[in-house]
Amino acid sequence: LTAVAAGHARGTAAEAPRLAVVAALGRALDQITVQQKGQSLSNAELITELNSSEPSVVDMALSRLAARHNAAVLVPLKSRLPNTDPDIAQQTLGYLVSLNDPRAARFIIDAAEERSLAFRIEALYALGSLGGDEAEGYLFTLTSAPDVRVRSVAVEALGLAKRTASGTPRS
């Protein structure tokens, strides 16, 4: 599909929406193919894929390894947090939470201190979902933060972290 779109790139303006859809479908198909491949790979093979030059392959490997709670992704995920692309940074928070490793809290906290307020708020929710002593301690300190938004989210995330620790299902 992508080849079809590329072949018609010099088409008329009227064809532009159709070509954009064809290109988007091609990218989606490529992504599905990568995800399908990833399901059958071992952890060792996924770790090897972390060195791929294809961002979609690296993303698939990170996603699969995090879902499998494989600590081999901690350092690669840490290196993604400073990324200026907010989607990548947000996605990385999700992977760190799904990794379910309390060591991830330190990476999230460090990133929260260095990034925008919007990212910090997302990081606080991630810490609440992750739970653990370090996450709870950091959230507790922010319950008296000067910024009312940070304070409010910290209180909410701390409650989530405590429910997570007690085994109460997350809502």
Side-chain angles (χ1 to χ4, degrees):
L1 292 175
T2 306
V4 171
H8 293 291
R10 290 179 283 263
T12 66
E15 292 176 324
R18 181 182 64 77
L19 294 176
V21 168
V22 170
L25 288 172
R27 287 189 301 275
L29 183 59
D30 291 345
Q31 192 77 334
I32 290 168
T33 303
V34 167
Q35 291 297 325
Q36 281 294 106
K37 175 188 171 201
Q39 288 180 356
S40 63
L41 295 178
S42 69
N43 284 350
E45 291 168 320
L46 288 169
I47 290 168
T48 300
E49 295 290 4
L50 292 174
N51 298 317
S52 173
S53 61
E54 286 294 319
S56 63
V57 172
V58 172
D59 186 57
M60 173 276 301
L62 289 170
S63 170
R64 295 278 181 225
L65 288 166
R68 294 176 185 179
H69 309 293
N70 188 309
V73 296
L74 269 172
V75 172
L77 288 173
K78 178 186 178 188
S79 69
R80 283 173 55 126
L81 281 173
N83 195 303
T84 56
D85 182 334
D87 292 335
I88 290 176
Q90 182 180 32
Q91 184 181 57
T92 302
L93 284 177
Y95 293 157
L96 285 166
V97 170
S98 68
L99 183 58
N100 201 27
D101 187 322
R103 294 176 293 176
R106 172 52 38 205
F107 300 154
I108 296 170
I109 291 167
D110 290 345
E113 293 293 320
E114 298 170 1
R115 295 187 61 110
S116 69
L117 176 62
F119 181 86
R120 188 174 199 190
I121 287 172
E122 289 180 41
L124 297 181
Y125 282 119
L127 289 167
S129 294
L130 183 63
D133 292 341
E134 188 167 13
E136 286 185 35
Y138 180 72
L139 292 168
F140 179 77
T141 63
L142 292 179
T143 61
S144 58
D147 187 307
V148 69
R149 295 167 293 187
V150 171
R151 210 171 39 241
S152 173
V153 171
V155 167
E156 188 178 340
L158 182 58
L160 175 60
K162 289 182 180 291
R163 287 191 302 277
T164 300
S166 70
T168 305
R170 301 173 191 175
S171 53

